[in-house]
Amino acid sequence: MKGSDYPATIHIQGSNLSHLEVKVEKLIGTRFLVKVTCKKGKDVLVSILEAFEDMKLIVVQARVTSRYFFGMEAIVEAENEATLDVRALTRALQMAIHKQSFENLK
C-alpha cells in the first residue's frame, strides 16, 4: 500500500461548520469508502455528488442520514485508473462542503 493510500481523516471546527469529518479509505481496485459527517446544511449532499462527478467517480452504493446531522457513507469507484488517491479525494470533498457552507451564508 502506497503512502497516499492510507486512510485520511480531516476534522474541522470553526464558524459555520461546528463539526466536519471526512474520512476516505482505499478499497480494492479503484474503489474508495467515503464517510462524511457534518452539521446539517442546505445542499450538502448536492455538493458532495457534484464533487464526485467532477472527479469522474461513480457512486456504487450510498447511505445518507440527515435527521440530527448530515451523515453519508458511500462506496465510489473511479472511472479509470487515474492518479486519484485518498488524500486528494478527502481534500476535494472537504473543500466542496466548506465552499457550500459559506455560499449558504450569503
Side-chain angles (χ1 to χ4, degrees):
M1 189 180 281
K2 298 183 300 187
S4 61
D5 290 338
Y6 288 109
T9 304
I10 295 178
H11 300 272
I12 296 176
Q13 293 186 347
S15 60
N16 60 333
L17 291 175
S18 60
H19 177 75
L20 170 62
E21 180 179 21
V22 178
K23 183 176 182 182
V24 177
E25 295 179 29
K26 178 87 164 108
L27 300 176
I28 297 170
T30 58
R31 289 189 176 195
F32 296 87
L33 174 63
V34 177
K35 296 180 182 180
V36 176
T37 305
C38 65
K39 181 180 175 182
K40 286 196 317 187
K42 183 179 176 187
D43 299 328
V44 174
L45 181 59
V46 172
S47 296
I48 292 170
L49 294 176
E50 286 174 349
F52 287 160
E53 185 177 7
D54 291 345
M55 292 180 281
K56 306 263 189 272
L57 295 173
I58 299 165
V59 178
V60 177
Q61 177 181 338
R63 288 185 282 183
V64 177
T65 183
S66 63
R67 187 165 191 166
Y68 302 110
F69 60 92
F70 175 84
M72 184 195 78
E73 184 174 300
I75 296 174
V76 297
E77 186 168 11
E79 289 181 354
N80 57 38
E81 296 278 340
T83 58
L84 182 65
D85 64 15
V86 168
R87 288 186 185 157
L89 179 51
T90 303
R91 184 73 178 145
L93 290 172
Q94 180 266 325
M95 288 174 58
I97 295 166
H98 201 69
K99 178 182 172 192
Q100 172 274 326
S101 182
F102 282 114
E103 286 177 0
N104 286 338
L105 290 177
K106 293 179 183 178

